[in-house]
PDB file of all heavy atoms in Angstrom:
ATOM      1  N   TYR A 251     -44.183  25.743  -5.721  1.00 96.00           N
ATOM      2  CA  TYR A 251     -43.689  25.166  -4.476  1.00 96.00           C
ATOM      3  C   TYR A 251     -42.492  25.967  -3.990  1.00 96.00           C
ATOM      4  O   TYR A 251     -41.769  26.571  -4.792  1.00 96.00           O
ATOM      5  CB  TYR A 251     -43.289  23.708  -4.685  1.00 96.00           C
ATOM      6  CG  TYR A 251     -44.403  22.848  -5.234  1.00 96.00           C
ATOM      7  CD1 TYR A 251     -44.617  22.740  -6.613  1.00 96.00           C
ATOM      8  CD2 TYR A 251     -45.240  22.136  -4.379  1.00 96.00           C
ATOM      9  CE1 TYR A 251     -45.641  21.955  -7.124  1.00 96.00           C
ATOM     10  CE2 TYR A 251     -46.264  21.337  -4.883  1.00 96.00           C
ATOM     11  CZ  TYR A 251     -46.459  21.256  -6.252  1.00 96.00           C
ATOM     12  OH  TYR A 251     -47.471  20.488  -6.751  1.00 96.00           O
ATOM     13  N   GLN A 252     -42.260  25.923  -2.686  1.00 95.00           N
ATOM     14  CA  GLN A 252     -41.195  26.735  -2.103  1.00 95.00           C
ATOM     15  C   GLN A 252     -40.600  26.012  -0.901  1.00 95.00           C
ATOM     16  O   GLN A 252     -41.307  25.347  -0.141  1.00 95.00           O
ATOM     17  CB  GLN A 252     -41.778  28.089  -1.666  1.00 95.00           C
ATOM     18  CG  GLN A 252     -40.755  29.137  -1.319  1.00 95.00           C
ATOM     19  CD  GLN A 252     -41.408  30.514  -1.225  1.00 95.00           C
ATOM     20  OE1 GLN A 252     -42.377  30.812  -1.938  1.00 95.00           O
ATOM     21  NE2 GLN A 252     -40.883  31.345  -0.351  1.00 95.00           N
ATOM     22  N   MET A 253     -39.275  26.129  -0.755  1.00 95.00           N
ATOM     23  CA  MET A 253     -38.569  25.513   0.374  1.00 95.00           C
ATOM     24  C   MET A 253     -37.452  26.456   0.799  1.00 95.00           C
ATOM     25  O   MET A 253     -36.736  26.994  -0.037  1.00 95.00           O
ATOM     26  CB  MET A 253     -38.002  24.150  -0.047  1.00 95.00           C
ATOM     27  CG  MET A 253     -37.287  23.395   1.061  1.00 95.00           C
ATOM     28  SD  MET A 253     -36.571  21.812   0.480  1.00 95.00           S
ATOM     29  CE  MET A 253     -38.051  20.805   0.396  1.00 95.00           C
ATOM     30  N   SER A 254     -37.287  26.673   2.083  1.00 92.00           N
ATOM     31  CA  SER A 254     -36.277  27.606   2.569  1.00 92.00           C
ATOM     32  C   SER A 254     -34.863  27.105   2.282  1.00 92.00           C
ATOM     33  O   SER A 254     -34.649  25.904   2.088  1.00 92.00           O
ATOM     34  CB  SER A 254     -36.427  27.822   4.081  1.00 92.00           C
ATOM     35  OG  SER A 254     -36.030  26.654   4.790  1.00 92.00           O
ATOM     36  N   TYR A 255     -33.910  28.027   2.258  1.00 90.00           N
ATOM     37  CA  TYR A 255     -32.508  27.668   2.048  1.00 90.00           C
ATOM     38  C   TYR A 255     -32.032  26.700   3.132  1.00 90.00           C
ATOM     39  O   TYR A 255     -31.338  25.718   2.857  1.00 90.00           O
ATOM     40  CB  TYR A 255     -31.656  28.938   2.049  1.00 90.00           C
ATOM     41  CG  TYR A 255     -30.167  28.683   2.015  1.00 90.00           C
ATOM     42  CD1 TYR A 255     -29.540  28.284   0.842  1.00 90.00           C
ATOM     43  CD2 TYR A 255     -29.388  28.835   3.165  1.00 90.00           C
ATOM     44  CE1 TYR A 255     -28.169  28.056   0.805  1.00 90.00           C
ATOM     45  CE2 TYR A 255     -28.025  28.604   3.135  1.00 90.00           C
ATOM     46  CZ  TYR A 255     -27.424  28.220   1.958  1.00 90.00           C
ATOM     47  OH  TYR A 255     -26.071  27.977   1.933  1.00 90.00           O
ATOM     48  N   ARG A 256     -32.421  26.954   4.367  1.00 89.00           N
ATOM     49  CA  ARG A 256     -32.005  26.091   5.474  1.00 89.00           C
ATOM     50  C   ARG A 256     -32.513  24.666   5.263  1.00 89.00           C
ATOM     51  O   ARG A 256     -31.796  23.692   5.503  1.00 89.00           O
ATOM     52  CB  ARG A 256     -32.533  26.644   6.802  1.00 89.00           C
ATOM     53  CG  ARG A 256     -32.208  25.759   8.003  1.00 89.00           C
ATOM     54  CD  ARG A 256     -32.847  26.300   9.254  1.00 89.00           C
ATOM     55  NE  ARG A 256     -32.140  27.466   9.735  1.00 89.00           N
ATOM     56  CZ  ARG A 256     -31.156  27.432  10.621  1.00 89.00           C
ATOM     57  NH1 ARG A 256     -30.740  26.270  11.100  1.00 89.00           N
ATOM     58  NH2 ARG A 256     -30.582  28.529  11.029  1.00 89.00           N
ATOM     59  N   GLU A 257     -33.752  24.535   4.792  1.00 94.00           N
ATOM     60  CA  GLU A 257     -34.314  23.207   4.598  1.00 94.00           C
ATOM     61  C   GLU A 257     -33.764  22.538   3.341  1.00 94.00           C
ATOM     62  O   GLU A 257     -33.412  21.360   3.361  1.00 94.00           O
ATOM     63  CB  GLU A 257     -35.837  23.291   4.515  1.00 94.00           C
ATOM     64  CG  GLU A 257     -36.513  21.930   4.474  1.00 94.00           C
ATOM     65  CD  GLU A 257     -38.027  22.008   4.489  1.00 94.00           C
ATOM     66  OE1 GLU A 257     -38.556  23.132   4.500  1.00 94.00           O
ATOM     67  OE2 GLU A 257     -38.671  20.949   4.474  1.00 94.00           O
ATOM     68  N   SER A 258     -33.683  23.290   2.221  1.00 95.00           N
ATOM     69  CA  SER A 258     -33.254  22.686   0.963  1.00 95.00           C
ATOM     70  C   SER A 258     -31.791  22.279   0.993  1.00 95.00           C
ATOM     71  O   SER A 258     -31.429  21.152   0.640  1.00 95.00           O
ATOM     72  CB  SER A 258     -33.517  23.634  -0.210  1.00 95.00           C
ATOM     73  OG  SER A 258     -32.755  24.826  -0.084  1.00 95.00           O
TER      74      SER A 258
END
Side-chain angles (χ1 to χ4, degrees):
Y251 304 87
Q252 192 167 328
M253 182 183 283
S254 71
Y255 173 75
R256 177 185 285 268
E257 187 176 2
S258 63

